[in-house]
Amino acid sequence: MACLADHLVWTLLLFLPLLLLSPPSSSTFTLFDVLDFGADPTGAADSTLALRDAWTLACDHGGIFATILVRRGSYLLGPVRFRGPCKSRHVSMRMGGATLVAPPDYRVLGGSSSWLSFDGVSNTSVHGGVLDAKGPSLWACKDSGRNCPGGATTLSFTNSNNIRIKDLTSVDSQMFHISINRCRNVRIQGVRVKADGDSPNTDGIHVQLSTNVLILLSDIATGDDCISIGPGTRNLRIQRVRCGPGHGISIGSLARSENEPGVQNIIVKNTTFQGTQNGLRIKSWARPSTGFVQGVHFIDARMINAHNPIIIDQNYCPNDSQTCPNQESSVKISDILYRGIQGTSATPIAVRFDCNAENPCTGIRMRNVYLTCLDDEVTRSSCANANGEALGTVQPRSCLYENS
Ligand SMILES: *[C@@H]1O[C@H](CO)[C@@H](O)[C@H](O)[C@H]1NC(C)=O
Ligand SMILES: *[C@@H]1O[C@H](CO)[C@@H](O)[C@H](O)[C@H]1NC(C)=O
Ligand SMILES: *[C@@H]1O[C@H](CO)[C@@H](O)[C@H](O)[C@H]1NC(C)=O
C-alpha cells in the first residue's frame, strides 16, 4: 500500500496546490503535438524523427507539465530513445486513439534492444495507445532455426523514477512487451498485452533491479511469462491481473549470474490464470549465486486449468552437465505464503516444491488452498527439501516438512 499512497500523495498534494497557487501560464502546461513535428497519422511515412524531436523539445522545455500529444491515427515508427534527464518537471505522452506500428521488416527493430526506450527520465508517464511491434515475422524466423536477430523489447524504462504507464496496449512484441530495469516508483495500470500463446520470449511485463513497483488491473495474454520478476526486485505489488495464455507469474529465473541481488517483499493478490503453463512460480538455476527470495505473499488467486498452479523449482537446469555441474543451488528461498489459492489444475500434481538438498526452502505457509483436477483425478503435492506448514483447508494434502 505504500506505493499506492505515494502515488496519491504525488497527484493530490502536489499537483493540486501547484494549480491553485500558480494560475496556469504558458509554462505550466505546454503541449507538443507530434503533427507539428511532421508525424504522419496515415502510417504511410515514417514518424520516428517527429516523435524524437517532440520528445527533445518537451524534455528540454523547462516548464512544469510538458505533454506530447500523439493524436488519433496510425504512425510508422522505428526504434526511438527518449533520454533524460529533462528540464521539464513532468513529461507525459498521451496516445489515446493512436497506434504506433513497427516497420514490416523485422530487422529494423530486431537489432535494437528496445523499440521505445526511456532512459534516465523522472516524472514521466505514457498514457493510452496501441503499440504494434509486428512480431510474428521474427518469431517465424526464430522457429525456422535460421540466424535471426534477438528482437526488441517493445517498451522499456531504465534508470528512471516516478513512472506511470496507463491504459496502454502492446500487441505482438518481438521480445518482452514491457521492461522495467533499475527504476523506482513505477505504477503500471490498465495495461493489455496480446500475443500468440506460442510466441517465443514475449514476456508481458519484466521487472528487475527495481523498487516500489505496482502493477494493477492488467490483462496479459502472451507466449512466455505473464509477469517475470528478476533479481533485485523489492517492494513489488501485483494486483487484479489476469494471465493466459502464457507461462504465468514467475519469480526468476534466478542465479543466472553468480553475483546478483535478491528478490524481497513481493505481493501478488487477486490474480487469475487461465490455461497457463504455470500459475505462481519461483524458479532458480541449480548454481551458486548470492541471490535469494524472501517474503512473498501469493494471496487470492484463481486457477482455471493451469498446468502447474503452484511451483517452486530450485533445480532448474535444462542442460545439466555443462551449466550446473554440481546441481547445487545457493539461492535461499524463505517466507513464502500461499493463501486463498483455488480452482483447477490441468495436471494431478497441483503443488510442486522442488527445492535443493544443499539449500532447502524454508517458511512456506499454505492456508486455504483448494485445487482440483479437471478430470476428477485427485490432485497431489510433491515436495523435496521443502519446510513449512499448512493451515486451514489445504487440498492437495500438504507434503511440507513441519520441522519447527
Ligand atoms: C518530479 O516531480 C516532483 C513533484 O512535482 C518534483 O519535486 C521533482 O523536482 C520532479 N523531479 C524532476 C527530476 O524534475
Ligand atoms: C478480485 O478482483 C475482481 C475484479 O478484478 C473483483 O471483482 C473481485 O471482488 C476481487 N476478489 C477478491 C477476492 O478481492
Ligand atoms: C543447452 O545447450 C544447447 C547446446 O549446447 C544450447 O543450444 C542451448 O541454448 C542450451 N540451453 C540453455 C537453456 O542453456
Side-chain angles (χ1 to χ4, degrees):
M1 291 319 281
C3 235
L4 253 177
D6 275 358
H7 283 288
L8 276 177
V9 168
W10 191 37
T11 341
L12 293 176
L13 293 186
L14 224 76
F15 289 11
L16 264 182
L18 265 177
L19 298 186
L20 297 176
L21 291 177
S22 56
S25 70
S26 58
S27 74
T28 309
F29 293 100
T30 315
L31 206 63
F32 298 83
D33 185 335
V34 297
L35 297 183
D36 296 338
F37 293 81
D40 175 9
T42 71
D46 188 282
S47 297
T48 312
L49 293 182
L51 237 79
R52 196 202 58 194
D53 292 349
W55 169 265
T56 304
L57 252 74
C59 177
D60 287 347
H61 177 257
I64 300 173
F65 299 102
T67 301
I68 297 160
L69 185 63
V70 185
R71 291 183 191 274
R72 183 171 293 279
S74 172
Y75 300 82
L76 182 64
L77 204 74
V80 214
R81 288 190 73 173
F82 304 106
R83 288 172 200 258
C86 293
K87 297 199 184 88
S88 305
R89 267 198 262 161
H90 307 87
V91 182
S92 71
M93 197 179 275
R94 301 212 143 240
M95 306 195 287
T99 302
L100 309 189
V101 183
D105 182 349
Y106 61 74
R107 288 172 299 188
V108 180
L109 298 191
S112 303
S113 56
S114 303
W115 181 20
L116 286 88
S117 77
F118 290 82
D119 191 357
V121 302
S122 297
N123 301 347
T124 298
S125 69
V126 176
H127 196 149
V130 177
L131 309 178
D132 183 355
K134 300 278 176 219
S137 56
L138 177 63
W139 309 338
C141 174
K142 289 182 172 178
D143 277 350
S144 74
R146 271 180 290 150
N147 203 6
C148 317
T153 290
T154 286
L155 173 66
S156 71
F157 279 87
T158 311
N159 294 315
S160 297
N161 300 330
N162 303 340
I163 302 308
R164 289 170 175 232
I165 301 172
K166 190 157 187 269
D167 298 337
L168 175 119
T169 301
S170 176
V171 181
D172 292 343
S173 186
Q174 289 191 335
M175 272 283 288
F176 294 179
H177 285 263
I178 297 174
S179 157
I180 305 294
N181 186 13
R182 300 182 188 276
C183 293
R184 264 187 21 234
N185 304 338
V186 179
R187 182 187 175 103
I188 299 175
Q189 180 173 345
V191 160
R192 291 165 58 91
V193 167
K194 278 187 282 185
D196 197 273
D198 291 330
S199 54
N201 299 117
T202 51
D203 293 29
I205 302 173
H206 176 73
V207 181
Q208 65 176 22
L209 300 169
S210 296
T211 307
N212 299 346
V213 179
L214 184 59
I215 301 173
L216 279 180
L217 292 162
S218 294
D219 191 329
I220 299 174
T222 192
D224 208 300
D225 291 337
C226 173
I227 298 174
S228 52
I229 301 162
T233 303
R234 281 196 348 217
N235 306 345
L236 165 67
R237 186 183 184 95
I238 295 169
Q239 196 161 357
R240 293 210 193 179
V241 169
R242 206 203 66 86
C243 301
H247 295 182
I249 294 181
S250 187
I251 297 180
S253 305
L254 303 176
R256 213 181 270 281
S257 63
E258 200 164 333
N259 203 333
E260 69 180 31
V263 172
Q264 215 170 349
N265 195 15
I266 309 294
I267 298 174
V268 178
K269 204 172 170 197
N270 198 351
T271 47
T272 300
F273 298 85
Q274 190 158 11
T276 48
Q277 186 194 79
N278 307 289
L280 305 163
R281 172 166 65 164
I282 301 176
K283 171 174 144 190
S284 158
W285 288 77
R287 290 202 295 239
S289 170
T290 56
F292 62 87
V293 180
Q294 188 186 17
V296 181
H297 289 191
F298 294 115
I299 300 170
D300 295 336
R302 196 156 66 102
M303 303 288 165
I304 305 166
N305 208 17
H307 284 253
N308 301 293
I310 292 179
I311 179 165
I312 296 180
D313 179 4
Q314 215 187 12
N315 293 310
Y316 180 67
C317 199
N319 283 345
D320 302 27
S321 50
Q322 311 139 35
T323 37
C324 320
N326 303 318
Q327 281 285 319
E328 282 174 25
S329 175
S330 49
V331 170
K332 180 80 194 156
I333 296 176
S334 60
D335 184 15
I336 315 291
L337 170 72
Y338 300 88
R339 196 184 78 202
I341 316 293
Q342 44 191 292
T344 53
S345 172
T347 61
I349 308 283
V351 175
R352 185 187 293 274
F353 297 126
D354 185 6
C355 299
N356 202 283
E358 299 297 320
N359 199 6
C361 299
T362 57
I364 298 177
R365 280 170 299 146
M366 308 188 77
R367 180 187 276 271
N368 301 337
V369 171
Y370 193 79
L371 294 164
T372 57
C373 209
L374 271 187
D375 41 10
D376 283 343
E377 241 181 296
V378 178
T379 49
R380 298 194 303 275
S381 300
S382 160
C383 292
N385 309 301
N387 303 295
E389 59 180 351
L391 298 155
T393 310
V394 173
Q395 183 189 321
R397 206 150 55 119
S398 165
C399 55
L400 290 167
Y401 182 57
E402 305 200 9
N403 61 347
S404 46

